[in-house]
Amino acid sequence: ETGVTQTPRHLVMGMTNKKSLKCEQHLGHNAMYWYKQSAKKPLELMFVYNFKEQTENNSVPSRFSPECPNSSHLFLHLHTLQPEDSALYLCASSQRGIQTAGELFFGEGSRLTVL
Amino acid sequence: KQEVTQIPAALSVPEGENLVLNCSFTDSAIYNLQWFRQDPGKGLTSLLLIQSSQREQTSGRLNASLDKSSGRSTLYIAASQPGDSATYLCAVGGGSARQLTFGSGTQLTVLP
């Protein structure tokens, strides 16, 4: 138990569906992140929120839409995805300092399959 | 641009062996380095975080060292057990989340 909870753990969707991934952290951290992990590739940073404000968008396609209503919750809204978007989506949180991202704590991930 | 390399990509050892996993990075201007463990289909579990001012960190059978000048970190696992089988990733931290760069990992198998 890392203090970061992701739901659902598994999701299968068609290319025309709309779905959302949810992340909740119970660690009192001020920053939350979405990462994408594809087979045989290093983790890719997608979005960063610091105190609910988006501070990084790593050139992610608009079919991925993040939402951070408060410092404890983070969503990733998905629509009109492509099969190549199938991956493990990981949420993380940290207590950011002035100069560093801080130690990252990850959730268990949401395994997404796009048919 | 920071590049992080982990060698070997895969490692298989018999139970009880002491082993070393390697992580190298190209830009020595880092703030910290973090080692993670990932079990198949699961998220990442933080093992050790070393600040740039530190040389090493220890937790149980794990010891991580950092040599900024040479751009290297090692994760030492003592008396390995089958339960240690997982993929181990290192991540090098700069001044922002964008500068947190992950290696591709070393897949460790400890044979009973």
Side-chain angles (χ1 to χ4, degrees):
Chain A
E1 178 60 49
T2 64
V4 181
T5 303
Q6 289 187 244
T7 56
R9 291 293 312 281
H10 300 274
L11 179 62
V12 179
M13 58 188 290
M15 292 193 288
T16 58
N17 292 158
K18 290 184 180 181
K19 297 285 185 182
S20 296
L21 307 180
K22 178 183 176 182
C23 177
E24 182 175 1
Q25 59 98 358
H26 309 275
L27 300 170
H29 289 163
N30 57 18
M32 297 187 75
Y33 313 78
W34 280 117
Y35 281 88
K36 175 183 178 182
Q37 188 176 38
S38 304
K40 308 295 185 185
K41 294 174 68 175
L43 267 73
E44 301 173 55
L45 178 65
M46 300 176 71
F47 301 103
V48 181
Y49 279 82
N50 192 22
F51 288 108
K52 304 188 304 177
E53 300 296 323
Q54 186 181 127
T55 57
E56 299 278 352
N57 178 338
N58 201 20
S59 302
V60 180
S62 59
R63 57 186 184 269
F64 294 92
S65 175
E67 178 189 1
C68 188
N70 54 60
S71 294
S72 299
H73 293 85
L74 184 64
F75 296 88
L76 188 62
H77 303 300
L78 316 169
H79 62 98
T80 59
L81 295 189
Q82 305 297 313
E84 59 265 29
D85 296 322
S86 298
L88 183 66
Y89 289 85
L90 292 162
C91 173
S93 71
S94 74
Q95 188 63 28
R96 293 194 66 163
I98 295 174
Q99 291 183 316
T100 73
E103 184 175 6
L104 260 65
F105 292 84
F106 282 83
E108 292 284 0
S110 294
R111 170 68 63 186
L112 173 67
T113 302
V114 181
L115 302 177
Chain B
K1 178 187 173 186
Q2 179 74 272
E3 292 182 6
V4 180
T5 303
Q6 292 187 248
I7 294 174
L11 179 64
S12 184
V13 301
E15 182 177 5
E17 268 202 15
N18 302 324
L19 58 99
V20 174
L21 306 180
N22 297 294
C23 173
S24 61
F25 46 95
T26 55
D27 186 351
S28 62
I30 68 170
Y31 285 99
N32 56 40
L33 185 144
Q34 195 167 354
W35 281 95
F36 295 91
R37 167 191 173 134
Q38 185 175 30
D39 293 288
K42 299 276 185 82
L44 279 67
T45 300
S46 178
L47 297 174
L48 291 163
L49 172 71
I50 309 177
Q51 302 294 349
S52 62
S53 58
Q54 298 174 319
R55 298 280 296 183
E56 65 178 338
Q57 282 283 351
T58 298
S59 176
R61 294 183 294 110
L62 305 179
N63 176 276
S65 67
L66 174 63
D67 184 342
K68 277 180 56 178
S69 60
S70 66
R72 292 181 182 177
S73 176
T74 61
L75 179 66
Y76 175 82
I77 303 177
S80 58
Q81 303 170 358
D84 295 329
S85 299
T87 296
Y88 291 80
L89 298 104
C90 72
V92 177
S96 69
R98 179 182 291 275
Q99 295 174 12
L100 185 65
T101 306
F102 282 83
S104 296
T106 293
Q107 185 175 356
L108 172 67
T109 302
V110 180
L111 303 170

